[in-house]
Amino acid sequence: MAEVLVLAEHADGEVKRVTCELLTAAARLGEPAVVWAGPGAEAGRERLAEYGAARVYVADSADLADYVVAPKAELLAALVADKAPAAVLVAGTAEGKEVAGRLAVKTESGVLTDAVDLVAGPDGHPLATQANFGGAITVHSLVRQGTPIVAVRPNAIQPVAAPGAAEITAVPAVLSEAARGARVTERVTAARGGRPDLTEAQIVVSGGRGTGSEEGFKIIEKLADALGAAVGASRAVTDAGWYPHQFQVGQTGKTVSPQLYVAVGISGAIQHRAGMQTSKTIMAVNKDPEAPIFEIADFGVVGDLFTVVPQLLDEIAARKN
Ligand SMILES: Cc1cc2nc3c(=O)[nH]c(=O)nc-3n(C[C@H](O)[C@H](O)[C@H](O)COP(=O)(O)OP(=O)(O)OC[C@H]3O[C@@H](n4cnc5c(N)ncnc54)[C@H](O)[C@@H]3O)c2cc1C
């Protein structure tokens, strides 16, 4: 059975959930083999084995952590040439998509991004489901040239535990001068106050212009904390400076696909929907019954958020007790 390469997303040896999701998708197409760029593979091995990695190709070089995306694309290109995998899967994050694009150029292969599902299609080729135009159109796509490269949206596929050997194989990390063009000089960890990462979170609570101010937006953080959720925001909020830009959800912000997305005081403009429409369950709180967000909401509450959210907080607290 041909290997399917999965580029691991990891931090400090901790395997990110999206990698387990990619391993589950890879097992549908062939034998899952992880590509681990940088140090920390031993620490992550157990989790990779739990989710079905047969092999882990480790390029343990600090260069791979220090030189942004280009070295990862070079590493994958070398492995594609050497192993002739059935496909290469990467996380559909900003970094993953950039690696995918560069890899596609290097290997003269087709690339599919923003896949929300992946199965074996005709002749066993990976058949991706993509949600296009803000989720308004669902497309099924196949790569016809080279090695299929697919960037899969985080949280789109439910990871399924399936034991694998996760046999570690060291591979050389030979970098070209061009790959050393942009180096990471400093890393600053954003203070998240223990909240989950926005793109990985199972629950996201997002606030919009309806919160009225930076002070008013704090109710969104309260609700998020009560639910153990990540905080998101519409562009109206980030543009107004009420909440930092890295939490913006939408076409020009982050793409999320959680189990539950709670949109509070958000109208549901097409550019916002583009980043959250594939959420499994959508709940909206808006005082305008005609707000477009209700067109895609599974549950909707028409009312003033400053009346509805405190009631919701009371109910959550009561149930927790
Ligand atoms: C090229 C481009 C890219 C864009 N990218 C993004 C993007 O990535 N993400 C994004 O979000 N937007 C993006 N936008 C902007 C987008 O078009 C909308 O302007 C924006 O999403 C609106 O944000 P909002 O829903 O918070 O505000 P509004 O559209 O102003 O909606 C506020 C809502 O809150 C409700 N409301 C008000 N007060 C209350 C209350 N007290 N209780 C309950 N409900 C209340 C109102 O009824 C209204 O529905 C982009 C636009 C362009 C042109």
Side-chain angles (χ1 to χ4, degrees):
M1 200 194 299
E3 282 184 331
V4 176
L5 300 182
V6 166
L7 179 63
E9 292 250 334
H10 57 88
D12 304 323
E14 194 187 316
V15 177
K16 294 205 175 167
R17 180 188 148 99
V18 66
T19 305
C20 305
E21 297 166 7
L22 295 178
L23 282 168
T24 297
R28 300 172 186 166
L29 309 169
E31 188 175 57
V34 168
V35 179
W36 187 284
E42 273 301 338
R45 185 181 175 194
E46 196 179 321
R47 191 153 153 87
L48 298 175
E50 194 185 334
Y51 285 91
R55 207 158 292 99
V56 186
Y57 294 114
V58 180
D60 186 356
S61 160
D63 280 353
L64 281 149
D66 287 350
Y67 288 93
V68 212
V69 292
K72 289 178 185 153
E74 281 195 359
L75 171 65
L76 284 172
L79 284 166
V80 166
D82 191 30
K83 313 287 176 195
V88 179
L89 311 187
V90 300
T93 54
E95 180 176 314
K97 284 192 265 192
E98 192 176 337
V99 170
R102 286 168 181 263
L103 178 63
V105 172
K106 286 181 195 301
T107 58
E108 295 187 8
S109 300
V111 59
L112 301 171
T113 58
D114 274 331
V116 292
D117 199 11
L118 194 61
V119 294
D123 308 330
H125 282 81
L127 178 67
T129 303
Q130 294 165 299
N132 288 355
F133 296 112
I137 298 174
T138 300
V139 176
H140 299 287
S141 329
L142 283 169
V143 166
R144 289 270 176 229
Q145 183 179 322
T147 304
I149 300 162
V150 189
V152 183
R153 197 177 274 190
N155 272 328
I157 292 172
Q158 185 64 30
V160 179
E167 184 190 307
I168 289 196
T169 305
V171 291
V174 186
L175 299 191
S176 70
E177 264 317 298
R180 294 171 197 264
R183 193 165 83 86
V184 178
T185 54
E186 190 186 6
R187 284 190 168 80
V188 180
T189 307
R192 278 197 276 116
R195 291 195 190 108
D197 183 70
L198 179 55
T199 52
E200 295 237 316
Q202 295 296 292
I203 307 177
V204 174
V205 178
S206 281
R209 203 194 315 260
T211 56
S213 64
E214 188 175 348
E215 192 54 35
F217 194 84
K218 291 196 172 126
I219 200 166
I220 303 300
E221 291 190 306
K222 262 194 191 167
L223 181 57
D225 289 343
L227 291 168
V231 174
S234 72
R235 182 157 158 182
V237 165
T238 57
D239 278 357
W242 300 346
Y243 214 64
H245 275 282
Q246 73 258 32
F247 297 98
Q248 183 185 312
V249 172
Q251 186 183 312
T252 43
K254 299 267 163 60
T255 300
V256 300
S257 197
Q259 295 298 319
L260 174 64
Y261 187 87
V262 186
V264 182
I266 291 178
S267 60
I270 185 79
Q271 296 89 354
H272 186 80
R273 291 185 191 197
M276 46 65 73
Q277 186 138 9
T278 53
S279 303
K280 309 294 175 295
T281 301
I282 297 169
M283 182 191 154
V285 180
N286 198 302
K287 68 179 184 185
D288 175 8
E290 303 297 326
I293 192 75
F294 288 127
E295 291 165 15
I296 56 163
D298 300 285
F299 301 99
V301 183
V302 178
D304 188 312
L305 71 93
F306 294 104
T307 310
V308 175
V309 174
Q311 289 178 47
L312 197 48
L313 286 167
D314 287 347
E315 186 61 30
I316 293 165
R319 291 199 186 192
K320 276 187 182 165
N321 289 337

